[in-house]
Amino acid sequence: MASTNKSWKLESFLDSLIVELDKARETLAVKAINKPLTYAVKDVNLEMQLFPSFDGNHVEFITARPGQQGASKIGIQLGSITDQQIRKTTKEPVTSDDVSIDLVDEIDEDTKQSLRKIGVTSVEDLNEVKKKNVDIEKASNRKVNYAKLAKLLSKARRGNSPPNVKNVHFNISKSGSTLQVEGNNLVLDNNYTPVVVFNGKLADLRGYGKENLEIGIDERDMNKDENELVVVSDPYTIYKMNLNHRKQ
């Protein structure tokens, strides 16, 4: 009789098991409202007879049928973990202004796998490794062009989070005039200093961030009606604004 057992990955098995354990925990939480709990599950031990297979990158298992010989024995012990322990031992999830390496088609799968092995899964991970002057090539045991990789990730990151300008304010003063730009994703790459041009002249960028730009301008360079502001926030992003300002 042909076996109906299908191969499965340890990761998928543990994910399903954790979901079931979470359901049990939620059920106990509701039950505890009406009936105080007098017991708790501290440890769970599982022992399985399996046939493992390895393709060079992934391990898969097929569960042995009753009486089937030659299977390997694997034991899994599950213990409890608190939310505080999870926060202390797990890095923050990839945020909306970051980008996962899995979403960048230009990076080949072998390179992605090499990066995952050293804990690099996003743009921010790569930046943190670079800040500590880690040799990516040596750490991953693979010829990885950091500059090319960083450009691919930064480009993908910017593509997922385009700039959005909400407000622009002129602050005209004898002591020094400024232009305040407010919005979202105005600057994302902290390794690149933005360049600003106001009415065809290089402007003084006094401060910049994801939600704000502070630009020093010379009142003599201002036009009575329409003014042009060009911002180069990174090597992949240029945005231009036509601003109207009437002197009082």
Side-chain angles (χ1 to χ4, degrees), residues 7 14 16 36-37 41 48 57 118 121 130 157 169 177 192 196 213 224 235:
S7 63
L14 291 178
S16 300
L37 298 179
V41 178
M48 297 176 287
N57 292 315
I118 60 173
T121 59
K130 186 61 177 178
R157 181 186 189 185
H169 304 285
S177 300
Y192 183 87
V196 181
L213 300 176
K224 182 177 180 181

Side-chain angles (χ1 to χ4, degrees), residues 29-190:
V30 175
K31 185 178 179 181
I33 296 175
N34 299 314
K35 184 176 181 180
L37 298 179
T38 57
Y39 62 90
V41 178
K42 184 178 181 180
D43 296 297
V44 176
N45 294 307
L46 297 176
E47 189 173 282
M48 297 176 287
Q49 300 289 331
L50 306 169
F51 292 98
S53 64
F54 180 56
D55 63 4
N57 292 315
H58 302 101
V59 178
E60 293 189 356
F61 300 93
I62 295 179
T63 306
R65 290 173 293 166
Q68 193 170 10
Q69 301 297 317
S72 300
K73 182 186 295 184
I74 182 172
I76 298 176
Q77 181 173 342
L78 303 175
S80 61
I81 184 172
T82 66
D83 57 339
Q84 293 182 352
Q85 290 173 315
I86 293 174
R87 284 193 290 268
K88 289 180 180 179
T89 60
T90 307
K91 70 176 183 179
E92 294 293 328
V94 177
T95 59
S96 59
D97 59 349
D98 199 357
V99 61
S100 170
I101 62 172
D102 291 329
L103 302 179
V104 184
D105 295 334
E106 291 87 347
I107 302 177
D108 63 89
E109 188 57 38
D110 288 340
T111 299
K112 290 179 181 178
Q113 185 172 345
S114 297
L115 293 173
R116 292 190 201 103
K117 289 179 179 178
I118 60 173
V120 175
T121 59
S122 68
V123 175
E124 286 303 320
D125 290 342
L126 190 65
N127 289 337
E128 288 300 318
V129 170
K130 186 61 177 178
K131 287 178 183 178
K132 297 183 182 300
N133 200 30
V134 175
D135 190 319
I136 296 291
E137 182 175 339
K138 292 181 179 178
S140 62
N141 292 321
R142 182 177 176 82
K143 292 184 178 180
V144 178
N145 187 320
Y146 172 82
K148 181 179 179 181
L149 182 62
K151 288 180 180 179
L152 288 174
L153 289 172
S154 296
K155 183 179 180 180
R157 181 186 189 185
R158 175 48 89 176
N160 290 340
S161 304
N164 177 29
V165 177
K166 294 183 178 179
N167 296 298
V168 180
H169 304 285
F170 284 93
N171 298 316
I172 307 302
S173 171
K174 292 182 179 180
S175 59
S177 300
T178 61
L179 191 61
Q180 297 285 340
V181 181
E182 300 174 352
N184 296 321
N185 304 321
L186 301 181
V187 176
L188 291 183
D189 191 347
N190 295 326

Side-chain angles (χ1 to χ4, degrees), residues 216-233:
I217 59 176
D218 191 329
E219 190 176 356
R220 294 170 297 182
D221 295 330
M222 293 178 57
N223 297 323
K224 182 177 180 181
D225 295 317
E226 188 173 275
N227 296 273
E228 182 183 75
L229 178 67
V230 178
V231 179
V232 182
S233 65

